[in-house]
Amino acid sequence: MVFALLLSFSRAAIAETISCSATTDTQFVPSWGKVDVGEDQYSRYIYQWMYWHTPTRLQWLITNGDSTFEPDALFYDYDGTAYGNAPSGYWASDLPDPYVDTQVGDIFDENAVTVGSGRAVMLTSGKVYYTVTRMTNGGGNSSWLKLSSQRGRQWPTGCTTTWCSYGCSANNNYFTIPFTDHFTAPGCQQYWWQWDATVRGTCN
């Protein structure tokens, strides 16, 4: 517990970023992704799926042994009407060494509900990965949602928990579904990123 608290203070102190080698978006952002947000008799939830179609699309992640990856989902809360507030209860993922991301250091008006990978070097192309997270209700029955693909590194190296994953200080994330697209949760949306084209649309 003491170690976790010290790491949480350290995260805040360095604004959750760390120096990383240079790369391009086509060396870590998924080729395809999908998000489905809704609710049932238990709670609100968010599912994500992601896919890298060739090893070159994973190049930065798999050539850096301490790499981490987060398919961040952020609910718009600048007006107090976010659909989702925070991860709560059940979660699951087949990402390598998955963890539920902390909201420490996040922008106050964007509620992150994310499951990340603490060992992204183990990701493989040609496989569809998933995450699912239960979450507490936000202030509204609907709100905008954006997705961001974030690369990062472990600190200290070898630690794969949420407290040890730091986003890179430069070129660390790309909004595969930005707020400006006005995708409203609950609902389902998918994207194709720099794979023939960059397009987004409703789920089939």
Side-chain angles (χ1 to χ4, degrees):
M1 174 62 77
V2 173
F3 181 63
L5 287 173
L6 288 173
L7 283 175
S8 70
F9 292 134
S10 177
R11 285 177 67 94
I14 65 172
E16 296 192 56
T17 63
I18 195 167
S19 178
C20 298
S21 59
T23 192
T24 64
D25 56 340
T26 55
Q27 293 182 340
F28 74 94
V29 177
S31 311
W32 170 87
K34 177 179 173 182
V35 59
D36 186 20
V37 187
E39 58 187 295
D40 54 24
Q41 66 269 33
Y42 303 108
S43 69
R44 294 180 178 176
Y45 60 82
I46 179 168
Y47 281 88
Q48 286 202 61
W49 297 266
M50 62 219 74
Y51 173 82
W52 292 264
H53 74 289
T54 63
T56 57
R57 288 300 296 253
L58 286 162
Q59 185 173 338
W60 189 85
L61 298 173
I62 63 179
T63 57
N64 288 272
D66 63 350
S67 64
T68 64
F69 177 76
E70 292 181 3
D72 285 320
L74 301 115
F75 291 89
Y76 185 97
D77 200 34
Y78 291 87
D79 56 1
T81 61
Y83 183 78
N85 186 43
S88 178
Y90 175 80
W91 67 275
S93 176
D94 61 353
L95 290 170
D97 286 326
Y99 60 84
V100 177
D101 192 27
T102 176
Q103 294 181 326
V104 171
D106 287 352
I107 297 173
F108 181 73
D109 294 315
E110 297 182 7
N111 298 343
V113 182
T114 302
V115 173
S117 172
R119 200 180 301 274
V121 68
M122 300 302 296
L123 289 166
T124 61
S125 60
K127 175 181 178 178
V128 176
Y129 291 92
Y130 82 94
T131 69
V132 57
T133 322
R134 293 285 176 178
M135 58 189 176
T136 54
N137 292 4
N141 292 321
S142 65
S143 70
W144 291 345
L145 171 69
K146 70 179 177 183
L147 296 187
S148 174
S149 289
Q150 177 179 284
R151 69 183 182 122
R153 293 176 54 200
Q154 303 164 353
W155 186 83
T157 299
C159 179
T160 60
T161 71
T162 182
W163 299 110
C164 302
S165 177
Y166 292 82
C168 295
S169 56
N171 302 116
N172 73 318
N173 63 65
Y174 289 86
F175 296 113
T176 50
I177 300 178
F179 279 148
T180 53
D181 276 11
H182 296 178
F183 166 56
T184 301
C188 184
Q189 184 96 163
Q190 56 186 333
Y191 66 85
W192 293 261
W193 185 269
Q194 302 291 352
W195 187 8
D196 296 329
T198 295
V199 294
R200 308 172 187 91
T202 57
C203 302
N204 295 329

